[in-house]
């Protein structure tokens, strides 16, 4: 039986490596880009988890613009704390 994985993030180092490795393993990987699941919207990302009902969720998305995060503290907190918490609750 194949493990179903829902992955948030497709363009960073972790996301691209998981996409590259997945075909070599018995997994069904669904990777969502920012356009498909914007981590600035905790409720929408949690809904994606509830819809997909995966065996495993990988968060390979983050607010990584450090200089910009200093001036956008609320946005950085939402992406790096609130949305992961909402995704975890949906799991």
């Amino acid at each position: 039986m194949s493990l179903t994985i829902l992955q948030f993030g497709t363009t960073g180092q972790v996301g691209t490596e998981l996409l590259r490795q997945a075909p070599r393993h018995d997994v069904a990987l669904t990777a969502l880009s920012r356009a498909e699941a914007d981590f600035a919207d905790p409720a929408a990302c949690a809904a994606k988890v509830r819809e997909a009902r995966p065996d495993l969720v990988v968060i390979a998305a983050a607010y990584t613009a450090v200089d910009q995060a200093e001036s956008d503290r609320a946005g950085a907190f939402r992406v790096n704390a609130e949305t992961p918490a909402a995704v975890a609750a949906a799991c």
Side-chain angles (χ1 to χ4, degrees):
M1 179 178 173
S2 183
L3 181 73
T4 61
I5 301 172
L6 180 64
Q7 174 182 315
F8 290 94
T10 59
T11 60
Q13 289 178 327
V14 172
T16 55
E17 185 62 20
L18 290 171
L19 285 168
R20 189 178 75 78
Q21 292 286 332
R24 299 178 186 163
H25 303 278
D26 187 24
V27 298
L29 176 65
T30 300
L32 302 176
S33 67
R34 184 181 307 179
E36 296 167 305
D38 187 350
F39 246 51
D41 188 343
C45 290
K48 293 288 186 180
V49 174
R50 287 190 297 275
E51 291 167 13
R53 300 183 51 86
D55 297 314
L56 175 70
V57 174
V58 174
I59 296 176
Y63 195 119
T64 59
V66 176
D67 292 339
Q68 186 176 342
E70 291 178 3
S71 62
D72 183 18
R73 293 176 60 119
F77 186 79
R78 185 172 38 262
V79 169
N80 289 343
E82 292 175 357
T83 300
V87 167
C91 287

